[in-house]
Amino acid sequence: MADAEFVQGMTPFLRESLGAYGDGVLTGEPAAGASGTAAEVGRELLRATFRRVDERGREGLEEAVQEAAAEPGNEDAVGALRQEIRRALRKHPELEGELAALLPGGGGGTTTVIASGARSIAAGGSIGIAITGDGHGSSKP
């Protein structure tokens, strides 16, 4: 069964897909040139989950998508979306392999780092101090 870390790792992709497609992420057509982008990966993760669940699961997933799309900065809404994916994975353990294959690197232990939004920083490991924003001077003399 998928652990919380596996589903948590989908978060940047889910956020990007909600930003690009809004609540139409489950039904919308792929954006031109979106193949392989974080938004498209997130869209495919959601659509694969949607195809696998029963009517009740679809309703829960649709509601979670609508809430997360309506409030992009709401961590609880994104958490509820992840919870719906976890629920689907509990009911359909074979879905984990399908979702892992959609992730960059096939979910095989590689680290994917995505920076999203103004002044974002993406780091695949320890980089020390990272400061974004205006008005920060150098800490070196």
Side-chain angles (χ1 to χ4, degrees):
M1 180 170 66
D3 60 11
E5 188 175 315
F6 174 70
V7 179
Q8 182 72 29
M10 296 179 193
T11 302
F13 302 101
L14 299 175
R15 285 185 197 285
E16 290 292 322
S17 67
L18 291 168
Y21 294 97
D23 62 4
V25 68
L26 295 173
T27 57
E29 292 299 316
S35 180
T37 66
E40 186 63 14
V41 170
R43 176 179 175 272
E44 289 304 315
L45 291 168
L46 288 169
R47 289 174 59 105
T49 304
F50 188 78
R51 285 189 302 267
R52 196 58 78 108
V53 296
D54 60 16
E55 186 63 33
R56 184 174 177 195
R58 286 186 192 107
E59 289 172 3
L61 192 61
E62 285 175 330
E63 184 176 331
V65 163
Q66 289 170 357
E67 289 177 9
E71 299 182 64
N74 184 336
E75 290 299 318
D76 292 335
V78 175
L81 181 55
R82 285 192 308 263
Q83 187 61 33
E84 289 297 326
I85 294 170
R86 283 189 198 103
R87 188 172 291 121
L89 287 165
R90 279 194 304 272
K91 290 182 179 180
H92 305 279
E94 69 280 3
L95 179 59
E96 182 176 359
E98 186 177 343
L99 297 180
L102 293 170
L103 293 168
T110 61
T111 300
T112 301
V113 182
I114 298 173
S116 176
R119 299 183 179 145
S120 296
I121 296 175
S126 177
I127 61 168
I129 297 172
I131 300 173
T132 64
D134 297 329
H136 293 284
S138 173
S139 61
K140 295 181 180 181

